Amino acid sequence: MSIQALLLGTNEGAPYHPLNAVQEQLLHILRGHAEVNATVELAALERESLQPYDLCIAYTDIWKKPVRPEESAGLLQFVAGGGGLLVIHNGMSLQARPELCQLIGAKFTGHPPYTTLPFQLTGIEHPLSAGLESFTMDEEPYRFELDPLAEVEVLLTYHHEGQDWPAAWTRQYGLGRVAFLMPGHHLPSFQIAGYAPWIVNSAKWAAGH
């Protein structure tokens, strides 16, 4: 049975990460694994709107525009009740609401310039990363402060400026699951063959499939 997924992004006011630039490729990657309904309407996060779905995929670009309380509460209730949340790259912008920052498990703090990054598995045994491999791609080196109370499991890191930085993690939240993937700046990010399986496995794991 296919995952029923909501893909939420931003077009207007999103010069760097518009959903329409990557939507077709994301749907291609998930074809055969999920039936995806894409929207830019933040009201889709309200409790009643999320009810038909197993998974919410966040590719929002709303760093200075917190979602409304009804939308924040809807997403929290969805995940706590057993729904899945997959946050990709700029989807971290949901952190404009502190409670959603805590839900995701980390806070974005900035990034150095776009560059070539090697991504490597951390060695943690986890169903999401089973059978997946390391890869290299050009990407924005997003930096984060992990929430010490969130109990995240970092499954992928990238090496930059002499250090390894978190690039993919998972966490449980109530009855639900949250996965974060750092890569996703623009269309070429989603065209890297080694990255696509991470998106598929993250969607399946978060949705409980």
Side-chain angles (χ1 to χ4, degrees):
M1 183 177 178
S2 290
I3 298 166
Q4 300 300 310
L6 174 73
L7 171 58
L8 179 65
T10 313
N11 286 326
E12 188 175 341
Y16 301 111
H17 308 111
L19 176 62
N20 57 18
V22 304
Q23 178 177 319
E24 184 177 342
Q25 183 64 17
L26 255 176
L27 296 182
H28 173 73
I29 290 170
L30 292 170
R31 190 165 296 131
H33 304 283
E35 295 182 15
V36 183
N37 179 31
T39 183
V40 295
E41 299 298 329
L42 293 174
L45 292 176
E46 293 181 12
R47 184 176 182 179
E48 297 76 13
S49 299
L50 283 173
Q51 283 182 346
Y53 298 104
D54 308 306
L55 175 69
C56 176
I57 304 171
Y59 193 73
T60 50
D61 199 23
I62 50 171
W63 300 98
K64 297 180 180 180
K65 181 187 176 184
V67 299
R68 294 183 299 116
E70 296 87 349
E71 295 157 356
S72 176
L75 183 57
L76 289 169
Q77 291 168 345
F78 171 72
V79 179
L85 173 63
L86 170 56
V87 180
I88 300 177
H89 196 63
N90 44 274
M92 179 60 77
S93 63
L94 288 173
Q95 73 178 37
R97 278 278 176 195
E99 64 271 25
L100 296 186
C101 182
Q102 200 276 332
L103 170 66
I104 297 168
K107 179 182 180 181
F108 170 77
T109 59
H111 70 82
Y114 182 88
T115 188
T116 301
L117 300 174
F119 291 82
Q120 56 273 326
L121 292 154
T122 60
I124 292 176
E125 293 186 6
H126 194 283
L128 190 159
S129 54
L132 299 184
E133 298 179 351
S134 302
F135 57 91
T136 299
M137 66 189 296
D138 294 342
E139 189 52 86
E140 291 178 317
Y142 270 27
R143 302 280 205 261
F144 307 97
E145 292 178 3
L146 297 178
D147 187 329
L149 300 179
E151 297 183 353
V152 304
E153 289 191 280
V154 177
L155 306 180
L156 188 73
T157 60
Y158 70 89
H159 193 76
H160 186 246
E161 296 181 342
Q163 296 186 49
D164 291 331
W165 306 87
W169 62 78
T170 62
R171 67 165 306 207
Q172 306 282 150
Y173 187 86
L175 300 176
R177 298 174 171 189
V178 178
F180 175 79
L181 296 174
M182 188 275 271
H185 172 57
H186 55 175
L187 180 59
S189 304
F190 295 96
Q191 294 173 327
I192 301 296
Y195 182 42
W198 281 89
I199 296 172
V200 172
N201 278 25
S202 297
K204 292 168 70 174
W205 178 83
H209 283 232

